[in-house]
Amino acid sequence: MSKPSIYDRYLPALSAEPSDTPAYWFVFRSNTGQLLLSDRAGLDAVPSAQHAETLGFTPVRSLFLGLLDGAPCYAAEAPDDAEPPEGFAFHSLRPLYDRMDEDLFHVAGRALQMLNWDDTHRFCGRCAAPLAPAGHEHAKVCPQCGLRHYPRISPAVITAILKDGKILLAHSARFPNKMHGLIAGFLEAGETLEDCVRRETMEEIGLTLGKIRYFDSQPWPFPNSLMIGFVAEYESGEITVDGEEIAEANWFGPDELPNIPPRGSIARRMIDWYAEQYGSRPE
């Protein structure tokens, strides 16, 4: 499946070269994680300035990200009380799928993840000494004990389970508006991705799976996940929800889908793919 890649527009780098070109600033307010944007479309919505101070605040921290459409780009954390400049507002990142280009959204997600990592890795977890940038890679090194600290990425699987032309959709008590999604969960130590798919499915709904195949992946910066999608065939068992992660689950045909996740998420992309393969596309 073809989808936008951040690397069509974005070139990562560790340090900035001297430049008179205004930079793009992915500015997040530190207490809410909200992103500063104008009401323009695409990259024009991202603030552009030589320095963050031009936007009316002194950043708590800033990190060079690389080049975006040929211009320098930075992640910056604004103070809790920072006020947006005229024509801009702070927005929660999660709902911005429908507003931002997908690749631009993922660059913004990268910025948020790197700021979170920089904030939570100021001291060594082994000896508590202050950490220093590694220099030649995105990492921090402890000058006292030598331990390296890399940005955390938490892999998680998400699975479309199919049986007799129907898809299994599940509702969690934390989902609003009776929304139904796919079975998902985080990888545990020692597991393969396929092991994780089978374990999460058995734990949450009591089913045994047959053939499993890779579908797609999506970075998910809330706070540092990588969602890895699979399509799996039902093999045996009756749906038995765990009552903790899953409140209810059932099989649905392509023309009888309940409320499902919003467009842009990998869950919605997988459900849309199912509906295209087996019937009409959901609205």
Side-chain angles (χ1 to χ4, degrees):
M1 173 176 289
S2 176
K3 63 181 187 297
S5 167
I6 62 172
Y7 296 116
D8 291 336
R9 305 173 65 182
Y10 167 68
L11 180 65
L14 292 171
S15 60
E17 297 292 335
S19 174
D20 294 329
T21 304
Y24 292 111
W25 290 87
F26 291 89
V27 177
F28 291 88
R29 188 182 265 161
S30 57
N31 62 339
T32 63
Q34 293 177 311
L35 177 63
L36 183 67
L37 294 174
S38 75
D39 58 2
R40 298 183 214 170
L43 189 54
D44 288 339
V46 179
S48 177
Q50 284 288 137
H51 306 285
E53 287 78 5
T54 308
L55 302 174
F57 66 91
T58 299
V60 176
R61 59 177 44 81
S62 62
L63 301 170
F64 180 65
L65 295 176
L67 300 178
L68 183 58
D69 283 358
C73 66
Y74 290 83
E77 181 181 336
D80 293 350
D81 59 355
E83 292 296 326
E86 185 177 356
F88 287 83
F90 284 101
H91 300 268
S92 296
L93 182 60
R94 192 186 293 256
L96 290 177
Y97 271 122
D98 292 338
R99 177 174 170 184
M100 299 181 76
D101 299 338
E102 184 175 351
D103 55 348
L104 192 58
F105 178 90
H106 291 314
V107 176
R110 179 185 179 99
L112 178 59
Q113 286 180 263
M114 294 302 292
L115 288 171
N116 287 336
W117 170 71
D118 187 67
D119 179 39
T120 58
H121 289 76
R122 288 177 284 172
F123 302 94
C124 179
R126 176 190 284 165
C127 70
L131 296 174
H136 65 286
E137 60 181 346
H138 285 299
K140 292 186 178 182
V141 63
C142 177
Q144 183 164 297
C145 72
L147 184 64
R148 286 183 178 268
H149 300 258
Y150 293 91
R152 177 180 174 182
I153 299 173
S154 302
V157 299
I158 182 167
T159 310
I161 303 169
L162 306 182
K163 175 188 177 185
D164 299 330
K166 293 191 173 185
I167 187 170
L168 187 138
L169 297 176
H171 172 67
S172 170
R174 68 179 184 273
F175 290 169
N177 303 319
K178 291 292 288 185
M179 186 175 72
H180 284 61
L182 303 176
I183 298 300
F186 287 100
L187 195 72
E188 293 186 354
E191 285 186 320
T192 65
L193 296 170
E194 292 81 2
D195 287 339
C196 185
V197 168
R198 296 184 189 279
R199 176 184 55 77
E200 288 287 344
T201 301
M202 177 56 69
E203 288 178 353
E204 294 187 359
I205 54 172
L207 299 184
T208 299
L209 300 179
K211 183 178 178 182
I212 298 171
R213 62 185 178 88
Y214 174 74
F215 179 85
D216 204 352
S217 65
Q218 180 182 47
W220 193 244
F222 308 108
N224 46 39
S225 300
L226 173 64
M227 303 299 296
I228 306 160
F230 292 89
V231 176
E233 297 175 2
Y234 163 87
E235 184 172 281
S236 64
E238 297 294 329
I239 296 174
T240 307
V241 299
D242 64 2
E244 296 180 5
E245 290 290 329
I246 303 299
E248 58 184 87
N250 213 328
W251 301 103
F252 294 88
D255 300 316
E256 54 186 17
L257 297 176
N259 184 29
I260 56 177
R263 297 188 186 279
S265 66
I266 189 171
R268 179 57 181 263
R269 198 156 65 236
M270 295 172 75
I271 296 169
D272 281 356
W273 167 85
Y274 157 75
E276 287 180 341
Q277 295 295 309
Y278 291 87
S280 60
R281 187 181 181 88
E283 295 298 328

